[in-house]
Amino acid sequence: QPHLTESGGGSVQAGGSLRLSCAASEAAYSNNCMGWFRQVPGKGTEGVAIISGGGGTTDYADSVKGRFTISQDSAKKTAYLTMNDLKPEDTALYYCASDGAWKTPCMLNKAFAFRGRGTQVAVSS
């Protein structure tokens, strides 16, 4: 079964950093489009970052620009989200998503073929 597995979440103080990883199975990995989303209980889901073209193109939500960096390693079939200068409002369940074999346009908040189960990030002030 295609799957995505996130790791790297945890609790940090404001101003700290975390690096999230998303390990993909062969069928779930995509050089076309992978992304990171976050969800807060009682609130909507926010697209945080996307990467396409095997890493050639990236895009970020305004709320994280300049602080978060998305990347991917095709050899390891893994996507990453490096988060710096974390703020309490970054607290959320973060999950990654992938297009798999889809070839749809890559953009924030798009519908993806696969999604992981998420990793929790908690930022204290």
Side-chain angles (χ1 to χ4, degrees), residues 1 9-10 12-13 15 17 21 24 28 31 35 45 56-57 62 72 78 84 86 95 100 116 119-120:
Q1 287 278 35
V12 296
Q13 290 190 323
S17 298
S21 297
N31 279 317
T45 299
T57 302
D62 289 342
Q72 65 184 136
T78 301
N84 296 318
L86 283 160
Y95 57 94
T119 184
Q120 183 68 43

Side-chain angles (χ1 to χ4, degrees), residues 5-6 10 20 65-67 76 81 86-87 89-90 114:
T5 304
E6 302 93 337
L20 307 183
K65 279 181 181 176
R67 300 188 297 122
K76 296 181 178 180
L81 185 68
L86 283 160
K87 306 175 186 295
E89 52 264 41
D90 293 320
F114 305 108

Side-chain angles (χ1 to χ4, degrees), residues 37 99 102 104 107 109-113:
F37 293 78
D99 259 359
W102 290 3
T104 56
M107 59 187 72
N109 299 308
K110 71 182 293 292
F112 283 90

Side-chain angles (χ1 to χ4, degrees), residues 7 25 58 67 82 86 114:
S7 62
S25 65
T58 58
R67 300 188 297 122
T82 302
L86 283 160
F114 305 108

Side-chain angles (χ1 to χ4, degrees), residues 38 46-48 60-68 84-85 87 89-90 94 108:
R38 63 187 181 186
E46 178 186 25
V48 174
Y60 300 89
D62 289 342
S63 57
V64 306
K65 279 181 181 176
R67 300 188 297 122
F68 290 13
N84 296 318
D85 190 23
K87 306 175 186 295
E89 52 264 41
D90 293 320
Y94 285 74
L108 283 171

